[in-house]
Amino acid sequence: MGEQPMKLYLDSADIPAVAPLLHTGLFEGVTTNPLILQRAGVAPAHLPTLVQELIDAGAGSVFVQAVESDTDEIVAEGRRIVALGSNVIVKVPATRQGFAATARLAHDGVPVLVTAVYHVRQAILANSAGAWGIAPYVGRMDDAGRDGLRQVEQMGAVLHGSETRVLAASIRNADVVHELALQHCDAVTMSTAVAEALFIDHLTDRAVAEFTEAARALT
């Protein structure tokens, strides 16, 4: 994992929820997957419109996942996805076929984020395939009895010095975000609810209220 500040992404296809956060200028882009699209009611035919709406809202990059399972079909779908715009990055699941497709797409200059990563060995395969990055599922690893933060730390160690980034996903709360930052994780994607929670601190709110009260007393 690199020495640059950790980049923040939003894991959502809900334009009304995403747009205000993108407008802050603090979030690099938006990640999606089929479940997120389903929850937002985005049909495949409307995907180009969604990508453009997210870019117009301020997303520097938009991640769209391939859903095919055969290597040749994943490659073909990946090429269709990346054709949606210069800001689009293809997501491919960490399967045998997915890694093979990633290698072919990467060879052609297509940026690929290998997703649904649960183990360090998958990070090694993604790096060998020339992936743009990996998306380890922190919360889901914890659910499965694996230490998600520890796994991400080890993934960062094996990828150190490579061009394959770690973009941590499945983030359950804001505290996990700062734990990942302490590990110098390259990037993290989160729901809009977790993103909103990053802005909340009751001690800050109390101090601001005191400042406001003092300013009014001076007038």
Side-chain angles (χ1 to χ4, degrees):
M1 289 185 264
E3 299 303 322
Q4 297 297 318
M6 186 172 71
K7 296 184 183 299
L8 305 177
Y9 292 85
L10 299 166
D11 202 28
S12 174
D14 183 346
I15 296 292
V18 166
L21 289 162
L22 288 173
H23 291 164
T24 66
L26 303 174
F27 297 88
E28 294 287 325
V30 176
T31 59
T32 70
N33 62 40
L35 287 174
I36 287 172
L37 296 178
Q38 181 185 50
R39 290 172 190 147
V42 179
H46 297 149
L47 193 53
T49 300
L50 173 69
V51 169
Q52 190 58 55
E53 287 178 340
L54 290 170
I55 292 171
D56 291 344
S61 55
V62 178
F63 296 72
V64 178
Q65 186 166 323
V67 298
E68 300 292 350
S69 56
D70 174 78
T71 299
D72 290 340
E73 293 174 349
I74 295 170
V75 171
E77 185 180 9
R79 289 172 178 156
R80 291 194 298 271
I81 290 171
V82 81
L84 293 173
S86 59
N87 309 63
V88 176
I89 295 174
V90 181
K91 292 176 67 177
V92 173
T95 62
R96 183 189 186 98
Q97 295 81 2
F99 286 120
T102 296
R104 288 169 54 182
L105 289 166
H107 181 267
D108 292 339
V110 176
V112 177
L113 175 69
V114 176
T115 192
V117 171
Y118 284 86
H119 198 280
V120 179
R121 60 176 173 265
Q122 294 172 316
I124 296 170
L125 290 169
N127 186 38
S128 181
W132 176 94
I134 62 169
Y137 283 4
V138 181
R140 291 194 179 192
M141 282 190 278
D142 289 338
D143 292 344
R146 299 179 183 178
D147 185 335
L149 287 171
R150 176 61 176 157
Q151 284 286 328
V152 172
E153 183 180 27
Q154 292 180 349
M155 291 174 196
V158 300
L159 294 176
H160 183 72
S162 76
E163 296 184 0
T164 301
R165 306 159 180 83
V166 178
L167 196 170
S170 184
I171 307 302
R172 300 290 170 76
N173 58 68
D175 288 342
V176 175
V177 176
H178 84 243
E179 292 290 348
L180 288 165
L182 288 171
Q183 291 183 5
H184 304 288
C185 187
D186 298 306
V188 60
T189 186
M190 68 200 82
S191 68
T192 55
V194 171
E196 293 287 357
L198 292 178
F199 293 95
I200 298 172
D201 191 291
H202 298 303
L203 294 177
T204 299
D205 294 341
R206 183 185 304 171
V208 170
E210 291 171 354
F211 297 153
T212 301
E213 183 179 352
R216 288 173 179 168
L218 292 172
T219 60

